[in-house]
Amino acid sequence: MTRIRLALGLVAIAALAMGVASPAQAQATGKLKIGLMLPYTGTYAALGNAITNGFKQYIAESGGKLGGREIEYVVVDDESDPAKATENVDKLVKRDHVDVLVGTVHSGVALAMAKVARETNTLMIDPNAGADELTGPLCAPNFFRTSFTNWQPAYAMGEYAGKKHKSAVTLTWKYAAGQQSADGFKEAFEKAGGKVVKELTLPFPNVEFQPFLTEIASIKPEAVYVFFAGGGAAKFVKDYAAAGLKNSIPLYGPGFLTDGTLEAMGDAGQGLVTALHYADGLDNPKDKAFRAGYLKSYQAQPDVYAVQGYDAAQLLGAGLAVVKGDAGRKDDLIKALEAAKIESPRGPFSLSRAHNPVQDFYLRKADGRDNKVVETVVKGLADPARGCKM
Ligand code: PHB
């Protein structure tokens, strides 16, 4: 008996000396598999590409590794289609066995993704989708966001517009992001003494705006607030100007309206005032280095989506550094992610107890191809995380 034990002990010591890994160690030495689930087609295609570019830029700056591990990508085009989301994420988790899920842009797709992530206890980092629930009633230890809640930029914009105007009409795509954005705007706008007199919606990703523009012209509110992004945003702003409304009724929105879309809008976009957690012309060295690196790698200017992708990789890197690349040490990894302080191009941010950035919001004004920073409208804005029990 003792001899057998001694023999086993010797084998174990020999194995250690030879560097033979235990299963847990083996996990920390192979490539780290990242499932990138993002839109690469449809109205949000440019957003998915910018997030991917930003993510890969940080990995490249880190020598192709996070926490000492090389990276392998499994990439899925989710088409911003909630109907295909569960099948897409199932493939990444159950067939490809990714270590981490990174995605996505569309709130409806992200909700389906997070459901599978929760059920399988897979770490998920959300580099855009703002669905309030994900860091509200559905908050979870394995879910982290490097972007915003739909409430955040909407609330910041509402606070600003509420100081200038008494009435507003909102117009959005009818899905989680649009509705929550309109709600956040209304909350702040009405707190400041204004009144949202009409809430208009159209199905995502429709761009038949004409009947809504006619209705807005007949209501004559003092201001209009819209949530649109990507290709749809460019079309809306052009239609708003062509309808003759640009010079009579000020148009506001979260900065998604004008981020990455100004070139396509041409003159119609010039002068638009929006609120967002990123802007062009921020005076910080991290942003300057990030922008120079992005321009060199992609021959393009980065936008908010590129920043959020970059920060998703930064956050993951900060966590993996603590667990030395062993993504299997889930509890330690989550603690490290929770404690991370991110030096973002947007300015530094930390995460709330619900795992959402607590961050400054800037007022920006469209000038040429830039959303130039005008001022900080709300400092250190935290989402109220209503319903989060963590
Ligand atoms: C969302 O669906 O949450 C969403 C999409 C595009 C944006 C912002 C939010 O630009």
Side-chain angles (χ1 to χ4, degrees):
M1 196 56 194
T2 1
R3 229 182 266 160
I4 292 172
R5 261 203 218 137
L6 186 65
L8 283 175
L10 286 174
V11 169
I13 290 165
L16 273 179
M18 285 157 58
V20 178
S22 71
Q25 285 169 319
Q27 250 188 342
T29 51
K31 284 190 179 175
L32 184 87
K33 248 192 191 184
I34 297 180
L36 280 185
M37 182 162 150
L38 289 161
Y40 297 107
T41 52
T43 201
Y44 290 159
L47 288 60
N49 282 313
I51 289 169
T52 306
N53 288 347
F55 193 93
K56 291 188 170 171
Q57 181 182 343
Y58 183 76
I59 305 288
E61 286 173 9
S62 312
K65 291 182 179 179
L66 292 183
R69 291 178 71 180
E70 280 176 31
I71 306 296
E72 179 182 340
Y73 296 101
V74 187
V75 182
V76 172
D77 176 8
D78 68 34
E79 303 167 51
S80 295
D81 185 351
K84 297 180 183 159
T86 303
E87 195 183 327
N88 280 331
V89 68
D90 262 346
K91 270 190 216 144
L92 288 174
V93 173
K94 294 171 190 166
R95 183 191 67 189
D96 301 319
H97 302 288
V98 299
D99 296 294
V100 187
L101 284 167
V102 175
T104 186
V105 168
H106 183 287
S107 277
V109 178
L111 284 162
M113 233 180 132
K115 182 164 186 290
V116 173
R118 264 196 314 280
E119 286 165 1
T120 56
N121 195 22
T122 308
L123 178 64
M124 172 169 170
I125 300 181
D126 172 358
N128 184 72
D132 291 343
E133 302 91 320
L134 291 173
T135 49
L138 297 177
C139 71
N142 68 311
F143 179 88
F144 289 82
R145 179 146 54 195
T146 58
S147 51
F148 55 89
T149 59
N150 291 321
W151 179 92
Q152 276 178 311
Y155 189 87
M157 190 78 267
E159 237 186 46
Y160 174 83
K163 290 183 189 140
K164 295 181 144 313
H165 307 288
K166 288 273 155 277
S167 65
V169 167
T170 62
L171 170 62
T172 72
W173 278 318
K174 191 177 172 61
Y175 80 103
Q179 287 173 325
Q180 292 169 356
S181 187
D183 289 349
F185 174 82
K186 184 177 175 179
E187 187 184 327
F189 190 72
E190 298 201 336
K191 208 188 255 178
K195 176 93 191 120
V196 171
V197 293
K198 187 100 192 184
E199 296 171 55
L200 301 168
T201 61
L202 74 164
F204 174 85
N206 286 9
V207 290
E208 293 308 319
F209 299 120
Q210 210 48 54
F212 300 97
L213 297 172
T214 306
E215 192 168 352
I216 288 167
S218 78
I219 297 173
K220 296 192 181 63
E222 282 186 30
V224 169
Y225 174 86
V226 298
F227 168 90
F228 295 113
K235 166 89 166 46
F236 177 78
V237 166
K238 282 198 274 188
D239 288 1
Y240 195 80
L245 292 173
K246 190 181 174 203
N247 296 325
S248 52
I249 310 178
L251 175 65
Y252 297 105
F256 313 120
L257 189 66
T258 52
D259 248 61
T261 54
L262 283 175
E263 204 178 331
M265 288 173 184
D267 282 350
Q270 295 304 297
L272 284 182
V273 170
T274 56
L276 202 64
H277 47 289
Y278 188 57
D280 296 309
L282 291 179
D283 191 18
N284 79 61
K286 180 78 195 180
D287 189 47
K288 291 198 172 102
F290 165 74
R291 294 176 78 106
Y294 195 93
L295 184 62
K296 191 159 172 238
S297 299
Y298 307 111
Q299 290 76 52
Q301 291 295 339
D303 55 19
V304 70
Y305 309 104
V307 171
Q308 293 167 173
Y310 185 83
D311 290 343
Q314 283 211 78
L315 177 67
L316 182 58
L320 286 169
V322 172
V323 296
K324 304 201 168 38
D326 188 351
R329 284 171 58 193
K330 287 238 165 80
D331 292 349
D332 294 334
L333 179 55
I334 285 168
K335 273 197 204 115
L337 294 170
E338 284 173 338
K341 301 263 176 287
I342 303 299
E343 272 311 314
S344 171
R346 76 189 82 171
F349 72 84
S350 57
L351 296 175
S352 68
R353 69 182 166 87
H355 299 174
N356 189 66
V358 177
Q359 56 195 336
D360 295 349
F361 280 80
Y362 306 105
L363 192 76
R364 312 112 44 85
K365 189 168 185 178
D367 179 2
R369 289 185 191 175
D370 286 344
N371 287 288
K372 287 211 174 118
V373 61
V374 178
E375 59 176 335
T376 304
V377 268
V378 192
K379 258 201 106 49
L381 183 64
D383 181 88
R386 294 170 187 128
C388 173
K389 297 271 163 23
M390 278 201 304

